[in-house]
Amino acid sequence: MSVPMLDMKAQYATIKTEVDAAVAEVLEMQHFRGGPITEAFERELAAFSEVAHARGVSSGTDALLVMFRAAGIQPGDEVITTPFTFFATGGALVNAGAVPVFADIEPDTLNMDPERVRELITPKTRAIVVVHIFGQSANMDAFMALAAEHGLMLFEDNAQSLGARWKGMRTGSIGYGAGVSFYPTKNLGGAGEGGAILTNDDKLAENVELFRCHGSPAQYEHIVVGYNSHLHAMQAAILRVKLRHLEAWNAARRAVAAEYNRLLADVAEITLPYDHGMGEHVWHQYVLRMPRRNDCVKIFKEREIGHGVFYPKGLHQQTCFQGITKAGPCPETERACKEVLALPIYPELNPAQQAEVVAAIKDHLSA
Ligand SMILES: *Cc1c(COP(=O)(O)O)cnc(C)c1O
């Protein structure tokens, strides 16, 4: 029995009538860019995320780029972030003119380590970008304290963690601004690319509106050079439907994670994902660590079991960043890159499928 990494058709089957009606409504309306449906979604997303403002853009990558520009990140500003993340976190910083400075991670949570960040702060440092990796909040108490102490902006990359919490607060509502992604495989995935910026700051929200629309406060007036980046009504209509199910889906992911933890608890060679228990984890990925990871990947491939290596390389090791970024020593990141393996996790994953995944791991370890 093959097991997919993600089963989007299974999810669609559970909400088809709602989604199809929402799409039909947009087609009847013929209002595709901005408009009442996009604005309604922005309000609902802000309410869900417990922030004052949400503003849609074309992707999670654009959310970060537009947010950094709107916040006034200037060419040459140093911005400290994690090397253990998807490329976009670093790429958006470079495209905003900043110099990413990579700080190593905590070996247990795989989130950026506040102590490593502290060591890299210089007079050129303007901001910190925290990524809540795999759906679990970073240590926001420590990062808020660091940012306040040094007068830095604190941003959250909330692409993998929509719905998560840190001590009762939603991730994405804690820093100055946050980026969200609606890439189809994210916990809240659209039917194509999409993203949003979250903030409690009125001025930042206003600047985001400016930057997402060619720096134009009024038609044919342009006061800064911005972007053309919008969340389209078709995406917003589908995301409105799916947002209503997100809490239940995230709870289902937690149940899947708990079941993997139970099934793998007695396997000595494996390090299970660490849950710090300081808030709700939304399990965008279930990532464990194991010896001879690459051999296990071979077995998964033979048996057609979905898996992922997030991430095989730290951003500080990426070719395109050499010479234009900085980094502290990153031994924990480099060790994690050799050991991590992501297992299939999604709300519709069933016990028989999970048993299949676990059998493959046990067969690998006994080989
Ligand atoms: C997915 C992701 C992004 C980028 O989002 P896109 O919508 O794919 O552009 C940024 N940061 C992280 C951590 C992500 O996982």
Side-chain angles (χ1 to χ4, degrees):
M1 178 178 69
S2 68
V3 182
M5 186 60 175
L6 183 65
D7 190 346
M8 289 164 50
K9 286 185 180 173
Q11 181 164 92
Y12 176 54
T14 67
I15 53 171
K16 179 172 162 50
T17 39
E18 288 171 90
V19 169
D20 292 2
V23 167
E25 191 190 351
V26 175
L27 289 172
E28 287 303 328
M29 217 182 245
Q30 291 286 308
H31 192 147
F32 296 120
R33 193 317 221 124
I37 292 181
T38 302
E39 285 165 17
F41 173 67
E42 288 176 336
R43 281 193 302 275
E44 289 157 10
L45 178 67
F48 176 88
S49 304
E50 300 170 7
V51 292
H53 310 282
R55 295 287 181 272
V57 289
S58 305
S59 68
T61 303
D62 269 17
L64 296 171
L65 174 60
V66 169
M67 175 173 72
F68 296 147
R69 290 289 313 281
I73 292 288
Q74 298 296 317
D77 285 349
E78 291 185 1
V79 179
I80 303 175
T81 193
T82 173
F84 196 69
T85 177
F86 179 60
F87 177 78
T89 317
L93 283 170
V94 170
N95 280 333
V99 177
V101 179
F102 298 114
D104 206 6
I105 56 173
E106 300 168 337
D108 49 7
T109 64
L110 306 177
N111 271 320
M112 187 161 64
D113 186 335
E115 285 314 307
R116 301 289 84 77
V117 172
R118 179 188 297 280
E119 293 162 1
L120 294 170
I121 294 172
T122 74
K124 285 188 178 168
T125 309
R126 276 296 297 294
I128 298 169
V129 181
V130 160
V131 181
H132 306 297
I133 203 72
F134 305 140
Q136 175 165 243
S137 174
N139 180 346
M140 292 309 285
D141 288 2
F143 287 114
M144 284 190 289
L146 263 185
E149 188 182 326
H150 296 272
L152 307 174
M153 292 186 276
L154 178 60
F155 297 105
E156 296 170 79
D157 181 336
N158 202 32
Q160 301 187 0
S161 48
L162 192 63
R165 290 183 188 274
W166 168 258
K167 294 187 175 175
M169 288 176 285
R170 285 279 197 216
T171 58
S173 74
I174 305 166
Y176 179 45
V180 181
S181 166
F182 307 121
Y183 187 74
T185 63
K186 296 284 157 81
N187 288 29
L188 180 65
E193 307 272 350
I197 292 129
L198 309 176
T199 185
N200 283 310
D201 189 273
D202 298 347
K203 187 67 197 163
L204 182 58
E206 205 177 292
N207 280 342
V208 162
E209 276 180 39
L210 202 58
F211 273 89
R212 75 178 173 179
C213 193
H214 285 311
S216 177
Q219 208 174 19
Y220 304 123
E221 287 292 331
H222 302 272
I223 59 173
V224 290
V225 181
Y227 307 92
N228 178 26
S229 189
H230 300 275
L231 184 69
H232 301 283
M234 196 69 89
Q235 295 303 336
I238 295 170
L239 290 167
R240 285 185 80 189
V241 170
K242 296 180 87 171
L243 182 60
R244 295 198 278 269
H245 298 276
L246 185 59
E247 289 281 25
W249 287 337
N250 284 343
R253 284 173 180 270
R254 275 193 281 277
V256 169
E259 180 65 1
Y260 274 137
N261 286 344
R262 193 181 68 80
L263 293 169
L264 292 166
D266 59 343
V267 184
E269 297 95 321
I270 286 178
T271 308
L272 295 177
Y274 178 75
D275 187 339
H276 57 41
M278 302 299 280
E280 281 162 40
H281 192 324
V282 294
W283 296 99
H284 176 57
Q285 298 293 351
Y286 182 96
V287 176
L288 48 69
R289 299 173 71 146
M290 57 159 59
R292 298 183 293 118
R293 188 266 324 274
N294 292 345
D295 293 335
C296 190
V297 164
K298 275 187 207 140
I299 293 190
F300 272 57
K301 280 185 180 155
E302 279 162 23
R303 299 187 184 183
E304 296 181 350
I305 294 174
H307 57 276
V309 174
F310 310 124
Y311 295 89
K313 245 187 190 185
L315 294 194
H316 65 297
Q317 299 170 306
Q318 291 292 349
T319 308
C320 65
F321 285 151
Q322 302 311 308
I324 58 168
T325 64
K326 298 181 181 176
C330 294
E332 294 300 344
T333 300
E334 288 163 27
R335 196 163 63 85
C337 290
K338 294 193 182 84
E339 296 176 0
V340 287
L341 182 68
L343 308 185
I345 187 165
Y346 48 91
E348 301 79 14
L349 189 71
N350 66 46
Q353 292 172 309
Q354 278 196 275
E356 193 80 11
V357 175
V358 168
I361 292 172
K362 289 187 173 171
D363 290 349
H364 154 66
L365 289 170
S366 62

